[in-house]
Amino acid sequence: MRAVVINGKEDLEVVEVPDPEPGPDQVRLRIAYAGICGSDLHYYYEGANGAFVVREPLVPGHEVSGTVDLDPSGQLAPGTPVTVHPATFGEQRPGIEDRPHLWPGGAYLGSASTWPHTQGGMSELLLVDRSMVRVLPRSLPLRRAALAEPLAVGLHGITLAGGVDGARVLVTGSGPIGLLTAAAALAGGAAQVTATDVLPGPLERARALGVHRTVDVSAEELPAEAYDVVLECSGVPASINAAFRAARRAGVHVQLGMVPDEPKGINLAPMISKELTVLGSFRFKDEIDAAVALLDARPEIEQVVTHELPADRALEAFAVARDSQASGKVLVAL
C-alpha cells in the first residue's frame, strides 16, 4: 500500500509498504481522506510536536474518513463508510473515571508520543481497534466526514463551557479549529458569534460560515466584557490576554488552542477580578458522534475544506496547509 511518511524535519516521502493484516478485534479500513492538522505540520517542519520527537518513520494523520476494507468478524461489511475516533485510552485513574481521554498511557493516531510511534491514517489502508470505528450515515459524503475529528474538538470545548445556547460567543483564531468551533457554536444556538484573526483569509472564511461579526485584532481592539463564553483557539498569549479582557464578569473562558509548555506572558488579573471560569480543553471524549451528526445535518460546514490534493502531492499539501492566509482545512486524498 501507499503511505505518506515523515522521517524527520522536512523529510517527507510517499512510500510503498506491506498491507497490514488485522488482528483480533481489529478492522482494516481503506482511507479516502486524511486532514492535515497542526500537529502534523509540527512533525514535518520541526521534526517534533513539542516534546514528541520523530524517532522512526511516522505516518501522520488522525482526521480520517474511508470505508471498511476487511472486518474478520464479519460485523462490518466491506464498503461501509466510516470515520475513526483516533484515541485508544490508557489507565483509569480515580477522579477521572468519566474522562478516558485524560487517562495516562493512551495513544493517538499519527503520534510520536509513544514508542513505537502510533502510526496514523495518511495511508491507503489503516488498522484500528473495532472500538474506534464510527459508521457514517449514507447521506454524509466521505470528504465532509473527514472533518469529524477536528469538529469534535470544538464541540468538546462547548460541552465544557456548559453549552452556548443564547450566549454571546467569542471564538479567537479562525484557523480550521476556530472555524469548526464557530460552526459548532452557531449550530448550538449562540445568540451571537464573533470570530477573530490577524489575517483577512481566515476572517473571510469565518464570515462565509455565518458568524455575526469578525474582528481583525491586529487593527481593532475587542470590546471589554462583551462575551458570555470565550472559545480561545489560537494558543497565542496576546490572544489569550485579549480574550480575558473581552469576557464578561463571571463569564467562561475555554482554552482549546495549545500553548508551549513554558512560561509565557499571560495576564491573569482580569480572570481574577471578574471571577472568570477558565477551563482547559484537551482533544475530546466522545463528541465525535455528535460531530458526525452535525456534519450530516449541516452540509455548509464542508466549506471549511479549501484544498484537496492527492497523496503524491503531499509535500505541496503540507506547504498549503502551513499558509493560513490561503487555506482552511487541507485534505490529502488517498
Side-chain angles (χ1 to χ4, degrees):
M1 70 170 184
R2 182 176 54 177
V4 176
V5 172
I6 296 172
N7 298 305
K9 181 178 179 180
E10 297 187 6
D11 183 356
L12 180 150
E13 57 183 339
V14 180
V15 299
E16 289 290 331
V17 297
D19 292 356
E21 293 299 327
D25 296 320
Q26 286 188 318
V27 179
R28 188 169 70 191
L29 308 180
R30 184 164 295 277
I31 300 301
Y33 297 101
I36 298 177
C37 175
S39 61
D40 302 322
L41 293 175
H42 285 300
Y43 281 130
Y44 172 59
Y45 283 104
E46 300 164 24
N49 182 30
F52 307 134
V53 178
V54 176
R55 292 178 288 160
E56 66 173 343
L58 174 69
V59 178
H62 53 260
E63 306 172 0
V64 298
S65 64
T67 56
V68 172
D69 183 67
L70 176 62
D71 179 5
S73 76
Q75 295 179 43
L76 295 171
T80 301
V82 297
T83 188
V84 171
H85 190 311
T88 52
F89 301 125
E91 180 183 349
Q92 182 175 311
R93 292 290 174 87
I96 54 172
E97 293 88 350
D98 62 340
R99 301 189 186 191
H101 60 295
L102 299 182
W103 297 349
Y108 218 70
L109 291 180
S111 174
S113 64
T114 56
W115 181 259
H117 296 341
T118 303
Q119 300 300 326
M122 209 168 286
S123 57
E124 289 182 298
L125 297 172
L126 173 68
L127 290 185
V128 295
D129 292 343
R130 183 180 308 281
S131 62
M132 300 166 71
V133 176
R134 299 294 188 274
V135 175
L136 300 173
R138 291 284 178 178
S139 52
L140 178 58
L142 291 178
R143 186 176 190 268
R144 195 188 315 153
L147 295 172
E149 193 275 349
L151 178 57
V153 171
L155 287 168
H156 183 62
I158 290 171
T159 298
L160 290 171
V164 294
D165 187 30
R168 298 167 299 168
V169 175
L170 174 65
V171 178
T172 53
S174 294
I177 292 292
L179 292 174
L180 290 166
T181 300
L186 290 166
Q192 182 188 56
V193 177
T194 297
T196 75
D197 209 277
V198 296
L199 296 170
L203 293 174
E204 182 180 347
R205 289 187 279 277
R207 287 191 291 272
L209 275 176
V211 302
H212 301 88
R213 186 186 176 208
T214 59
V215 177
D216 178 351
V217 288
S218 68
E220 181 181 354
E221 193 172 86
L222 287 166
E225 302 190 13
Y227 302 98
D228 306 302
V229 176
V230 175
L231 302 165
E232 208 296 307
C233 298
S234 75
V236 176
S239 179
I240 298 170
N241 289 337
F244 281 162
R245 181 177 176 275
R248 68 161 171 84
R249 295 168 189 244
V252 177
H253 174 113
V254 182
Q255 188 62 41
L256 289 91
M258 292 297 291
V259 299
D261 186 12
E262 58 188 33
K264 286 289 184 180
I266 304 295
N267 180 15
L268 299 181
M271 181 267 287
I272 297 167
S273 63
K274 292 190 288 187
E275 292 192 358
L276 301 182
T277 297
V278 179
L279 299 159
S281 184
F282 183 66
R283 295 174 180 163
F284 55 90
K285 179 185 173 184
D286 54 13
E287 286 87 354
I288 197 163
D289 302 305
V292 167
L294 183 56
L295 289 167
D296 190 35
R298 299 289 184 102
E300 67 274 13
I301 297 178
E302 190 172 341
Q303 67 187 289
V304 171
V305 177
T306 56
H307 296 77
E308 175 190 326
L309 290 93
D312 58 7
R313 294 171 62 189
L315 279 172
E316 181 182 348
F318 272 69
V320 171
R322 194 186 194 189
D323 184 351
S324 55
Q325 163 62 16
S327 69
K329 177 56 64 180
V330 176
L331 300 181
V332 175
L334 279 302

